[in-house]
Amino acid sequence: MIVDCAIYREGHRAEGPEDFSDALAEARSAGGFVWIGLHEPTEDEFEVVSQEFALHPLAVEDSLKAHQRPKLEVYDDSLFLVLKPVVYEPRSDTVSSGEIMVFLGDSFVVTVRHGEGAPLKAVRHRLEQEPELLGKGPTAVLYAVADATVDHYLEVATELQTDLEELEAEVFSPDGGGSRHTASRIYNFKRQILEFRRATGPLSLPMTRLAGVGTFGVSVPFVEDKARPFFRDVHDHLTRVNESVEGLDRLVSDILSAHLAQMSVRQNDDMRKISAWAAMAAVPTMIAGIYGMNFEHMPELRWEWSYPAVVLVMAGLEVLLFRLFKRRGWL
């Protein structure tokens, strides 16, 4: 559905005609631009917008189907940017992602949002409070949406870092590391990082192109060259996020390896204890087995003190084995 539609002249909002074609013509004549916001539009709803603003069919198809990777596409009449905002759920410790598609053209901006996270109402409100920035035109909207998305990445990365520290403390605690649920928690956390990485990693190249750094120093159509420093700032923040995500991923892998090593050590300790107790049980079993074979020629059976002697020998051997295994740390 259409969430908002307005004309902006010199950074100030002005309600325009309901017809998109008339609104675009009025914006161009006044030196402003039209900003239309949609949330999970149907094919019929978006067909009207795509026809009025001559949006490319491939970009329109991507906007309707969603499930796209972050990317930047340049068409004849518009620029198409895909962002994946992420939402962190503290109760379930999960990361979910939505999608924001931004169409940028001559005097118009069309934003399409999928998912409940990262609404653009706050971005529009913030821009309307800064008419000087909004007066820069559609490029300012593109920058504000990208900046808000990447800044939220930083917040999510901080939340994940806190969760990782708690998980690390649990793994290396005296008792927590042996929990049967610890491995599943580590694996689930790794899945959350992977979901986060799918949103932040592919966005690096589009931000590099918009910032005009490295080998992508050429200008991007429909984006003013004066906006490059702003996109470089977004690119720097995104680089920090990607470095943080890589660090989290490495730490989770190390924690999983440490947890598996701890489990292996505990299993070895248990096996040594079981083996020690089995060896101690084998001694009296062996002696009792010998005297239980009922041989005829066993003079010890006729001794008066044979039974107490055998019991003392077994007890002495048990004490000796116990002290030996205890000294070696097997018990």
Side-chain angles (χ1 to χ4, degrees), residues 22 24 32-33 38 54 73 80 117 139 147 160 173 185 214 235 240 285 290 298 302:
D22 295 340
L24 182 60
F33 67 95
L38 302 99
E73 300 286 351
F80 180 58
T139 303
D147 183 58
L160 289 175
S173 64
R185 283 197 61 194
H235 179 266
R240 287 173 50 195
T285 303
I290 292 175
M298 295 183 70
R302 297 184 178 88

Side-chain angles (χ1 to χ4, degrees), residues 82-95:
V82 178
L83 302 166
K84 290 185 74 69
V86 295
V87 178
Y88 176 78
E89 298 292 343
R91 294 183 178 179
S92 57
D93 293 335
T94 58
V95 174

Side-chain angles (χ1 to χ4, degrees), residues 240-296:
R240 287 173 50 195
V241 172
N242 285 327
E243 291 175 351
S244 178
V245 172
E246 290 178 3
L248 290 173
D249 190 44
R250 287 195 299 268
L251 283 175
V252 171
S253 298
D254 293 341
I255 290 175
L256 180 59
S257 299
H259 173 67
L260 295 177
Q262 283 182 332
M263 296 297 294
S264 178
V265 170
R266 287 191 177 95
Q267 290 176 351
N268 290 336
D269 290 340
D270 293 340
M271 289 302 299
R272 285 192 301 180
K273 291 179 181 179
I274 294 173
S275 299
W277 286 110
M280 292 173 62
V283 172
T285 303
M286 179 187 66
I287 296 175
I290 292 175
Y291 283 92
M293 289 188 292
N294 296 321
F295 288 143
E296 182 178 356

